[in-house]
Coordinates of all heavy atoms in Angstrom, one line a residue:
I646 N 0.8 -1.2 0.0 CA 0.0 0.0 0.0 C 0.9 1.3 0.0 O 0.6 2.2 -0.7 CB -1.0 0.0 1.2 CG1 -2.0 -1.2 1.1 CG2 -1.7 1.3 1.3 CD1 -2.7 -1.5 2.4
D647 N 1.9 1.2 0.8 CA 2.8 2.4 0.9 C 3.5 2.6 -0.5 O 3.7 3.8 -0.9 CB 3.9 2.1 1.9 CG 3.4 2.2 3.3 OD1 2.3 2.7 3.5 OD2 4.1 1.8 4.3
E648 N 3.9 1.6 -1.2 CA 4.5 1.7 -2.5 C 3.5 2.3 -3.5 O 3.9 3.2 -4.3 CB 5.0 0.3 -3.0 CG 5.7 0.4 -4.3 CD 7.0 1.2 -4.3 OE1 7.6 1.4 -3.3 OE2 7.3 1.7 -5.4
V649 N 2.3 1.8 -3.5 CA 1.3 2.4 -4.5 C 1.0 3.8 -4.1 O 0.9 4.7 -5.0 CB 0.0 1.6 -4.4 CG1 -1.1 2.2 -5.3 CG2 0.2 0.1 -4.9
Y650 N 0.9 4.1 -2.8 CA 0.7 5.5 -2.3 C 1.8 6.4 -2.8 O 1.5 7.6 -3.2 CB 0.5 5.5 -0.8 CG 0.4 6.9 -0.2 CD1 -0.9 7.6 -0.3 CD2 1.4 7.6 0.4 CE1 -1.0 8.8 0.2 CE2 1.3 8.8 0.9 CZ 0.0 9.5 0.9 OH -0.1 10.7 1.4
K651 N 3.0 5.9 -2.7 CA 4.2 6.7 -3.0 C 4.1 7.1 -4.5 O 4.4 8.2 -4.9 CB 5.5 6.0 -2.7 CG 6.7 6.7 -3.0 CD 8.0 5.8 -2.7 CE 9.3 6.5 -3.1 NZ 10.4 5.6 -2.9
I652 N 3.8 6.1 -5.4 CA 3.7 6.3 -6.8 C 2.6 7.3 -7.1 O 2.8 8.3 -7.9 CB 3.4 5.0 -7.5 CG1 4.6 4.1 -7.5 CG2 3.0 5.2 -9.0 CD1 4.4 2.7 -7.9
C653 N 1.4 7.1 -6.5 CA 0.2 8.0 -6.8 C 0.4 9.4 -6.2 O -0.4 10.3 -6.6 CB -1.1 7.3 -6.3 SG -1.5 5.9 -7.2
N654 N 1.3 9.6 -5.3 CA 1.5 10.9 -4.7 C 2.6 11.7 -5.4 O 2.9 12.8 -5.0 CB 1.8 10.7 -3.2 CG 1.2 11.9 -2.4 OD1 0.1 12.3 -2.7 ND2 1.9 12.3 -1.4
N655 N 3.2 11.1 -6.4 CA 4.2 11.8 -7.3 C 3.5 12.2 -8.6 O 3.1 11.3 -9.3 CB 5.3 10.8 -7.5 CG 6.4 11.5 -8.4 OD1 6.2 11.9 -9.5 ND2 7.6 11.4 -7.9
R656 N 3.4 13.4 -8.8 CA 2.6 14.0 -9.9 C 3.1 13.4 -11.3 O 2.3 12.9 -12.1 CB 2.7 15.5 -10.0 CG 1.8 16.1 -11.1 CD 1.8 17.6 -11.0 NE 1.1 18.2 -12.2 CZ 1.7 18.4 -13.4 NH1 3.0 18.1 -13.5 NH2 1.1 18.9 -14.4
L657 N 4.4 13.4 -11.5 CA 4.9 12.9 -12.8 C 4.6 11.4 -13.0 O 4.3 10.9 -14.1 CB 6.4 13.2 -12.9 CG 6.7 14.7 -13.0 CD1 8.2 14.9 -13.1 CD2 6.1 15.3 -14.3
Q658 N 4.8 10.6 -11.9 CA 4.6 9.2 -11.9 C 3.1 8.9 -12.1 O 2.7 8.0 -12.9 CB 5.1 8.5 -10.7 CG 6.6 8.5 -10.6 CD 7.1 7.7 -9.4 OE1 6.3 7.4 -8.5 NE2 8.4 7.5 -9.3
L659 N 2.2 9.7 -11.5 CA 0.8 9.5 -11.6 C 0.3 9.8 -13.1 O -0.5 9.0 -13.6 CB 0.0 10.5 -10.7 CG -1.5 10.4 -10.7 CD1 -2.0 9.0 -10.4 CD2 -2.1 11.4 -9.7
I660 N 0.9 10.8 -13.7 CA 0.6 11.1 -15.1 C 0.9 9.9 -16.0 O 0.1 9.5 -16.9 CB 1.4 12.3 -15.6 CG1 0.8 13.6 -15.0 CG2 1.3 12.4 -17.1 CD1 1.6 14.8 -15.2
R661 N 2.0 9.2 -15.7 CA 2.4 8.0 -16.5 C 1.5 6.8 -16.2 O 1.2 6.1 -17.1 CB 3.9 7.7 -16.2 CG 4.9 8.6 -17.0 CD 6.3 8.3 -16.6 NE 7.2 8.9 -17.6 CZ 7.5 10.1 -17.7 NH1 6.9 11.0 -16.9 NH2 8.3 10.5 -18.7
I662 N 1.1 6.7 -15.0 CA 0.2 5.6 -14.6 C -1.1 5.8 -15.4 O -1.7 4.9 -15.9 CB -0.1 5.6 -13.1 CG1 1.2 5.1 -12.4 CG2 -1.3 4.7 -12.7 CD1 1.5 3.6 -12.6
L663 N -1.6 7.0 -15.4 CA -2.9 7.3 -16.1 C -2.8 7.1 -17.6 O -3.7 6.6 -18.2 CB -3.4 8.7 -15.8 CG -3.8 9.0 -14.3 CD1 -4.1 10.4 -14.1 CD2 -5.0 8.1 -13.9
A664 N -1.6 7.5 -18.1 CA -1.4 7.3 -19.6 C -1.4 5.9 -19.9 O -1.9 5.4 -20.9 CB 0.0 8.0 -19.9
L665 N -0.7 5.0 -19.1 CA -0.7 3.6 -19.3 C -2.1 3.0 -19.2 O -2.5 2.1 -20.0 CB 0.2 2.9 -18.3 CG 1.7 2.9 -18.7 CD1 2.6 2.4 -17.6 CD2 1.9 1.9 -19.9
A666 N -2.8 3.4 -18.2 CA -4.2 2.9 -18.0 C -5.1 3.2 -19.2 O -5.8 2.3 -19.7 CB -4.8 3.4 -16.7
K667 N -5.0 4.4 -19.7 CA -5.8 4.8 -20.8 C -5.3 4.1 -22.1 O -6.2 3.7 -22.9 CB -5.7 6.3 -21.0 CG -6.4 7.1 -20.0 CD -6.2 8.6 -20.2 CE -7.0 9.4 -19.1 NZ -6.7 10.9 -19.2
S668 N -4.0 3.9 -22.2 CA -3.5 3.1 -23.4 C -4.1 1.7 -23.4 O -4.4 1.2 -24.4 CB -2.0 3.1 -23.3 OG -1.5 2.2 -24.2
A669 N -4.1 1.1 -22.2 CA -4.6 -0.3 -22.1 C -6.1 -0.4 -22.5 O -6.5 -1.3 -23.2 CB -4.4 -0.8 -20.7
I670 N -6.9 0.6 -22.1 CA -8.3 0.7 -22.5 C -8.5 0.8 -24.0 O -9.3 0.2 -24.6 CB -9.0 1.8 -21.7 CG1 -9.1 1.4 -20.2 CG2 -10.4 2.0 -22.2 CD1 -9.5 2.6 -19.3
R671 N -7.7 1.7 -24.6 CA -7.8 2.0 -26.0 C -7.3 0.8 -26.9 O -7.8 0.6 -27.9 CB -6.9 3.2 -26.4 CG -7.5 4.6 -25.9 CD -6.8 5.7 -26.7 NE -5.4 5.7 -26.4 CZ -4.8 6.4 -25.5 NH1 -5.5 7.1 -24.6 NH2 -3.5 6.3 -25.3

């Protein structure tokens, strides 16, 4: 949980996570 929180609390990393999630859906 701490690792996921750390990623999601970093703006640049969060942008990449969202980009990957959207890419997977498309």
Side-chain angles (χ1 to χ4, degrees):
I646 295 166
D647 287 347
E648 182 62 26
V649 176
Y650 176 77
K651 182 181 175 183
I652 291 168
C653 290
N654 215 35
N655 179 305
R656 182 175 173 274
L657 292 177
Q658 290 184 349
L659 181 56
I660 287 170
R661 282 174 161 75
I662 288 292
L663 293 174
L665 274 169
K667 289 177 181 177
S668 169
I670 292 167
R671 286 194 303 267

